[in-house]
Amino acid sequence: EEKKAGQMKLFVYIRIELSEQTTNLVKGSENTGVGHVLANKGGQAISFTLNGTTSFCFVNSHLAAHEGKCDKRNSNIQEIFEGLANTGRFGNKNLDIAQYDHTFWFGDMNYRTALPEISDKKLKHKVVTDWVAEKNYAEIAAHDELGREVREGRILTGFHPA
């Protein structure tokens, strides 16, 4: 199935032999761009039930870009959650997309490596690229904006990275 909003697209492929066992197919989108009309930012979702027992929801998102926009990205996620829930098409409209057995959230989320103590962009870039060159992934993860926001309960409550 496909869901398109502007240039943002979500494709979910199901093996042919499972297609007849796939029910409750729902597609939706929520624009978070200018006036909630511009589809340059936002999210698309496709959900379905497999074998009548296991539900899946896939959400693709393109969030606000640029350094210092973490709160805006968090707001975009909340707007996508609420926009999809308020359609009433994604299950019980009093719940949210976390009601599915398996929910996958992905896309161009635009979260940054947070180094607030370094204001010089070139130095910040060098620090991060040095960590990559040294394979110091633990340090990168420790400064990951998205990870911090999830850990501190500001977004995607009840979710964890796969």
Side-chain angles (χ1 to χ4, degrees):
E1 274 303 312
E2 169 189 358
K3 180 63 187 166
K4 178 180 177 187
Q7 292 303 310
M8 296 181 294
K9 297 177 183 137
L10 171 61
F11 296 90
V12 176
Y13 292 89
I14 298 172
R15 291 191 347 234
I16 293 169
E17 60 267 22
L18 296 176
S19 62
E20 289 186 24
Q21 299 161 32
T22 304
T23 58
N24 303 322
L25 179 67
V26 177
K27 300 182 276 187
S29 64
E30 177 66 20
N31 296 335
T32 61
V34 178
H36 291 266
V37 175
L38 225 78
N40 62 325
K41 303 288 188 224
Q44 308 78 46
I46 295 176
S47 68
F48 59 88
T49 303
L50 187 61
N51 292 325
T53 59
T54 307
S55 59
F56 295 86
C57 184
F58 297 86
V59 182
N60 175 44
S61 60
H62 187 199
L63 309 179
H66 306 297
E67 188 102 16
K69 300 285 185 176
C70 184
D71 288 342
K72 181 64 176 166
R73 288 184 275 280
N74 291 353
S75 174
N76 288 164
I77 288 175
Q78 188 61 35
E79 291 170 46
I80 293 166
F81 260 113
E82 290 171 2
L84 292 172
N86 287 335
T87 65
R89 293 189 313 262
F90 279 82
N92 179 343
K93 71 183 222 173
N94 297 316
L95 299 173
D96 59 38
I97 62 168
Q99 68 188 296
Y100 294 93
D101 295 317
H102 304 284
T103 301
F104 300 87
W105 193 299
F106 48 89
D108 186 354
M109 297 182 77
N110 273 317
Y111 283 91
R112 306 296 197 236
T113 305
L115 298 169
E117 66 281 3
I118 303 173
S119 59
D120 181 84
K121 285 186 178 188
K122 287 183 181 181
L123 178 57
K124 197 177 286 194
H125 183 265
K126 182 179 179 345
V127 168
V128 174
T129 55
D130 285 351
W131 287 341
V132 170
E134 296 162 2
K135 296 184 179 353
N136 191 350
Y137 305 122
E139 197 65 40
I140 295 168
H143 290 87
D144 175 57
E145 245 182 15
L146 175 58
R148 179 193 67 211
E149 296 302 296
V150 171
R151 278 190 308 277
E152 294 181 7
R154 287 192 277 270
I155 56 161
L156 300 174
T157 305
F159 287 83
H160 65 89

